[in-house]
Amino acid sequence: MEGGKYHVMMFPWLAFGHMIPFLELSKRLAAKGIFVSYVSTPRNLQRLPPIPSNLEGKVKFVEIPMPQVDGLPENCEATVDLQLEQIPYLKKAYDRLAEPFERLLQTVRPDLILIDFAPYWILDITAKFGIRTAFFSVYTAATLAYLGPPAELKSGKRRPTPGHFTRPPDWIPFPSLIAHRPDYAPRMMRNTHFPDASGMSSGQRAAKVLEECSFVVVRSSDAVEGEYIGLIQELYKRPVLPIGVLAPVPEENKNNTAINSSWSHTQQWLDGQKPKSVLFVGFGSEYKMPVEQIHELAYSLELSRLPFLWILRKPQGVDSSDLLPPGFANRTLSQGVVLLGWAPQLEILAHPAIGGCLFHSGWGTIVESLGFGHPLVSSPNDS
């Protein structure tokens, strides 16, 4: 207990698609009177949204130093900083957090630690201290069901070829359309079953977490995924607690003047658009869209004649002058806005001018979009 309060510690994987849901759950728990310590590396904690003023003192950010490993560029502490082929080295560095994490538990004893799929080594540490752990999945229950039971995550015996990943697995006993595209199936198979430069596959990591945690927390609900939630409880032989989709709410605190100043021009443009007329376009912080796809998407938006707001992430090594098709900016000057880099997505989604979204298929983005009642055109990417 921390000061007499129940203490939950959060330890997410180093990707913002994971860290943000962990933070959202932290805020929900803190609002219920639970003390939360949120553990990550310094640069990641600096980039997270600030804790709302009404929860200050109830959620504490705890830094542990980021180890350096060969193959991982300096100051890269999250997947967003890296190319796909560099992520195994981030996992290798993440595994080296075991020693500082154990030192942390020598001074801080939470009642429960919520962990992600990646830190399989935490289970041995928490066993020494008698601390309970739970796996918090930022993925849907349907995704977990598709990935399968721990034994399959470790061995891959029931899906030995990429073709097996292009159809629903045989352990789903009810009608399901869950499958991967043929072009992505080989990568999915490699990630799940074959060790990478870190020495472990994602499936092996998740299997140990699932076999040794006390229970599983899923960012979903019975109303949305009742059959799949029941199935993963059978597959894992662990209690599964659905906690809702955790749709985030824009913070009322508008004291961040840096964000306000960078956002003000776009907000003024949106204010001048008709209600529900603007298409909001974005493919998440993790996907590095090739410049050829950027050009195809740009031409499509131009031909649609719809007002658009496009949050675009510049690919590494691409000059800004080559990012968009020649003349695109001038031709669409009165039609839409392209923002490079970060933007306040929740504030944009909450704006009355937004009428629909063209996004990738990330569960977090789907939750946010539907939370504001926006129609969603989903275009899966390979991130």
Side-chain angles (χ1 to χ4, degrees):
M1 297 280 181
E2 182 80 18
K5 292 182 178 180
Y6 195 82
H7 178 186
V8 174
M9 180 175 283
M10 299 284 183
F11 192 63
W13 164 235
L14 306 178
F16 281 91
H18 293 241
M19 289 185 277
I20 295 297
F22 269 78
L23 181 60
E24 193 62 36
L25 180 56
S26 299
K27 293 189 290 186
R28 304 294 177 96
L29 293 175
K32 298 291 185 181
I34 295 172
F35 178 78
V36 180
S37 55
Y38 186 108
V39 182
S40 193
T41 59
R43 188 160 183 256
N44 287 328
L45 293 179
Q46 292 166 7
R47 291 185 286 182
L48 286 173
I51 299 300
S53 56
N54 65 312
L55 297 179
E56 288 178 3
K58 300 175 183 177
V59 179
K60 181 182 180 182
F61 286 158
V62 180
E63 293 185 359
I64 51 176
M66 184 67 176
Q68 287 300 306
V69 300
D70 291 340
L72 183 67
E74 192 174 355
N75 295 321
C76 291
E77 298 186 6
T79 55
V80 70
D81 304 320
L82 302 168
Q83 298 300 305
L84 189 65
E85 63 273 12
Q86 296 173 309
I87 290 176
Y89 300 103
L90 183 67
K91 291 180 180 176
K92 193 172 183 179
Y94 188 69
D95 292 343
R96 293 189 184 179
L97 293 175
E99 186 175 332
F101 193 88
E102 183 167 356
R103 288 198 302 269
L104 174 63
L105 292 186
Q106 290 170 354
T107 58
V108 178
R109 296 291 177 89
D111 299 287
L112 174 69
I113 303 178
L114 290 180
I115 62 174
D116 216 319
F117 79 95
Y120 66 96
W121 41 265
I122 277 186
L123 286 306
D124 293 334
I125 296 172
T126 54
K128 296 179 186 178
F129 296 98
I131 300 172
R132 297 179 77 203
T133 59
F135 168 50
F136 173 38
S137 171
V138 303
Y139 305 112
T140 63
T143 299
L144 296 177
Y146 169 80
L147 293 172
E152 175 62 17
L153 287 168
K154 285 189 292 187
S155 70
K157 289 181 178 178
R158 293 166 71 175
R159 288 196 290 199
T161 69
H164 287 86
F165 287 82
T166 64
R167 54 184 181 267
D170 58 16
W171 54 78
I172 297 182
F174 46 81
S176 174
L177 296 176
I178 274 201
H180 268 97
R181 301 190 317 257
D183 60 313
Y184 187 72
R187 182 193 296 180
M188 186 65 194
M189 183 177 174
R190 286 195 305 272
N191 290 347
T192 306
H193 297 320
F194 295 99
D196 55 29
S198 71
M200 294 279 284
S201 70
S202 293
Q204 290 168 334
R205 291 172 182 274
K208 182 172 175 62
V209 169
L210 288 167
E211 287 176 332
E212 299 185 24
C213 69
S214 297
F215 61 97
V216 175
V217 178
V218 181
R219 187 189 180 190
S220 190
S221 70
D222 287 324
V224 176
E225 296 189 287
E227 283 187 307
Y228 288 107
I229 289 170
L231 175 58
I232 61 173
Q233 189 157 270
E234 293 177 19
L235 295 176
Y236 297 160
K237 297 178 172 52
R238 291 284 185 279
V240 174
L241 176 64
I243 56 169
V245 297
L246 297 181
V249 178
E251 302 295 347
E252 293 299 324
N253 187 353
K254 302 294 183 181
N255 293 331
N256 194 326
T257 55
I259 291 178
N260 283 342
S261 61
S262 64
W263 159 237
S264 59
H265 173 74
T266 303
Q267 188 172 36
Q268 290 171 12
W269 180 84
L270 278 174
D271 289 343
Q273 306 305 308
K274 296 177 181 178
K276 296 193 176 298
S277 66
V278 176
L279 179 67
F280 184 23
V281 183
F283 282 77
S285 59
E286 303 291 341
Y287 183 49
K288 286 78 173 177
M289 184 180 285
V291 70
E292 295 82 9
Q293 289 186 21
I294 291 174
H295 284 199
E296 288 296 322
L297 181 54
Y299 287 129
S300 299
L301 292 173
E302 181 180 354
L303 291 171
S304 75
R305 307 294 184 191
L306 290 171
F308 65 85
L309 171 56
W310 184 5
I311 310 303
L312 177 59
R313 186 173 168 77
K314 188 170 80 69
Q316 189 177 35
V318 176
D319 191 270
S320 296
S321 60
D322 299 323
L323 187 59
L324 293 167
F328 173 81
N330 289 332
R331 293 194 304 271
T332 60
L333 194 60
S334 61
Q335 181 185 350
V337 172
V338 178
L339 284 179
L340 294 180
W342 181 88
Q345 181 159 302
L346 287 182
E347 284 84 348
I348 294 171
L349 288 168
H351 197 282
I354 300 299
C357 302
L358 171 58
F359 280 170
H360 69 306
S361 298
W363 182 224
T365 298
I366 289 172
V367 165
E368 291 175 0
S369 303
L370 297 181
F372 289 97
H374 296 315
L376 183 63
V377 179
S378 183
S379 177
N381 59 44
D382 293 339
S383 60

